Amino acid sequence: MGTKAYACYNVDEEVRRKSSSGGIYYLLAKTVINSGGVVYAACYVGMEVVHRKIASVAALIPSCGSKYIPSTLDKTFHQVKCDLEDGKKVMFVGTPCQCAGLYRFLPDTTKDRLICVDFVCHGIPSKAAWRAYLSTLEKSNSIVDINMRDKISGWSKYQYSWRITYDGGQEVLIPQSQVSYMRGFVKDLYLRPSCYACHFKGTERKTDITLADFWGVWEVLPSMDDNKGTSLVIIHTQKGQDWFQKIQTQLIYQPVNLDQTIRYNPSILQSAKITEKRQEFFCRLKSHENFNDIIQDLLKDSDHISVIAKTKRKVISLIQTYRKICLKKGMK
């Protein structure tokens, strides 16, 4: 079958609120578990991320949400293989390269029971960078949770925040654009070397389903954007289409032209670009400089450029709005 794409979101508002975009992962995982299968997905263990086996719907919520930290697989591939050989359905969710590795590892005789789901990946950051960032947080040893994509301030046009929860219930909410760790991540300062020449980009993949934020939905399909999160779902196989059909009654969805989405999410096709500042970052990190100070210093030029770019976008938006008002009033 040819690749198909959909804009969609979960009708369950609570699940959607706890998800990074439209809450589609949860629906797929719940459906697999309710059919007698199991799910392997990335979960927090302390402030590290590991792939865990999930066998109950009640245990799914902690696996929801984006985690911009490398996940440890440990013996996950072996566990997946054992479950498949026991006749179970298994849904594995991971980065495109993790999914490719799992496919290479598994014997062909087991793959018909595997539902493999990847996501549009910007790149995998260094664990050293994550641990250095954690060390800068006040009372970092008492952090019990970090939500890297809290949508309390909105989702459209990248309005989300970080929510840090400490032991005892204290919460701190920070706009993601002000989090030093995320600033370094999106500027490609400390991705793995392979991420700068990723072999797993593209719209045609060996996975069954690819999930992503539907960035730009406010332009492509404004009716699908209520500022609560909209997913882009890309179906690659008949198996993926079959599982998507199983959850359609619990979705609001519309088919979409995949080419339209790439303009707003170039990571579908493009690898991150290596920066000359990457080497300097790691040299300074090894010298035990403060993580926040390194980021502030290395990105000060790009911050200035970013302010100029944002100002230009606001001016263009105001001009476009003025033109629309003039057209409505019949003015030239």
Side-chain angles (χ1 to χ4, degrees):
M1 60 166 280
T3 300
K4 297 181 180 180
Y6 301 89
C8 49
Y9 56 80
N10 194 327
V11 296
D12 186 325
E13 291 289 334
E14 182 64 15
V15 170
R16 191 176 172 207
R17 184 182 66 81
K18 294 178 179 179
S19 303
S20 294
S21 49
I24 308 307
Y25 155 73
Y26 178 89
L27 271 181
L28 287 168
K30 181 179 75 170
T31 304
V32 170
I33 291 172
N34 284 340
S35 69
V38 295
V39 173
Y40 286 84
C43 306
Y44 281 112
V45 175
M47 285 296 100
E48 301 291 333
V49 173
V50 301
H51 262 72
R52 282 285 180 87
K53 178 178 177 177
I54 304 168
S56 71
V57 173
L60 277 175
I61 287 295
S63 67
C64 293
S66 297
K67 304 167 186 70
Y68 301 102
I69 313 168
S71 68
T72 299
L73 289 169
D74 197 19
K75 297 180 180 180
T76 296
F77 285 7
H78 291 278
Q79 293 170 336
V80 169
K81 181 173 178 286
C82 287
D83 282 335
L84 290 170
E85 289 176 340
D86 286 342
K88 290 182 180 178
K89 298 184 185 74
V90 175
M91 175 175 157
F92 177 87
V93 185
T95 63
C97 55
Q98 287 175 333
C99 290
L102 178 61
Y103 266 122
R104 290 288 296 271
F105 174 79
L106 292 174
D108 290 339
T109 53
T110 65
K111 292 176 183 176
D112 62 325
R113 293 185 293 279
L114 175 70
I115 305 100
C116 206
V117 179
D118 70 343
F119 49 84
V120 173
C121 179
H122 177 80
I124 301 175
S126 158
K127 280 191 179 181
W130 170 243
R131 290 166 181 167
Y133 167 72
L134 277 181
S135 70
T136 69
L137 295 179
E138 184 180 2
K139 299 186 292 185
S140 61
N141 61 340
S142 63
I143 294 174
V144 295
D145 184 59
I146 294 182
N147 182 343
M148 297 183 172
R149 291 280 300 280
D150 190 283
K151 296 185 285 191
I152 191 170
S153 55
W155 173 87
S156 296
K157 302 180 182 178
Y158 324 105
Q159 297 169 344
Y160 40 81
S161 301
W162 269 37
R163 183 186 296 273
I164 302 174
T165 304
Y166 291 93
D167 186 19
Q170 178 190 359
E171 293 186 336
V172 178
L173 198 65
I174 311 169
Q176 196 190 72
S177 60
Q178 296 178 20
V179 176
S180 60
Y181 179 77
M182 287 307 299
R183 292 176 63 215
F185 171 69
V186 299
K187 293 297 183 181
D188 307 324
L189 281 182
Y190 36 76
L191 303 182
R192 289 180 176 174
S194 58
C195 294
Y196 300 105
C198 179
H199 297 293
F200 307 102
K201 297 291 183 179
T203 57
E204 296 183 6
R205 305 187 180 197
K206 291 185 177 181
T207 53
D208 299 299
I209 299 174
T210 297
L211 301 178
D213 292 277
F214 195 150
W215 300 133
V217 67
W218 47 86
E219 298 288 347
V220 178
L221 282 173
S223 63
M224 290 292 292
D225 176 32
D226 59 2
N227 202 24
K228 296 178 182 179
T230 305
S231 294
L232 173 65
V233 177
I234 307 172
I235 310 292
H236 304 290
T237 66
Q238 185 59 51
K239 189 196 304 179
Q241 185 67 34
D242 292 343
W243 281 98
F244 184 69
Q245 288 174 348
K246 292 177 189 290
I247 66 172
Q248 283 181 356
T249 58
Q250 302 169 76
L251 296 177
I252 303 296
Y253 69 97
Q254 287 192 41
V256 65
N257 184 323
L258 187 53
D259 291 338
Q260 289 181 292
T261 72
I262 293 171
R263 173 186 172 191
Y264 298 94
N265 198 339
S267 291
I268 294 173
L269 300 181
Q270 300 174 11
S271 298
K273 293 183 179 179
I274 194 164
T275 168
E276 60 185 15
K277 295 180 180 180
R278 183 181 186 276
Q279 184 175 358
E280 182 180 351
F281 168 82
F282 282 106
C283 286
R284 294 174 66 170
L285 195 67
K286 288 178 182 178
S287 298
H288 305 291
E289 286 191 49
N290 179 274
F291 179 87
N292 291 337
D293 292 343
I294 300 173
I295 298 298
Q296 181 67 26
D297 185 41
L298 293 181
L299 297 185
K300 58 187 176 184
D301 292 338
S302 62
D303 287 344
H304 177 67
I305 294 171
S306 178
V307 169
I308 295 173
K310 286 180 181 178
T311 303
K312 285 182 178 179
R313 287 197 295 269
K314 287 182 180 179
V315 171
I316 291 170
S317 178
L318 288 171
I319 292 172
Q320 290 173 339
T321 302
Y322 175 74
R323 285 176 176 171
K324 288 178 182 178
I325 293 172
C326 289
L327 286 171
K328 286 183 180 179
K329 293 182 177 180
M331 299 169 61
K332 294 184 178 180

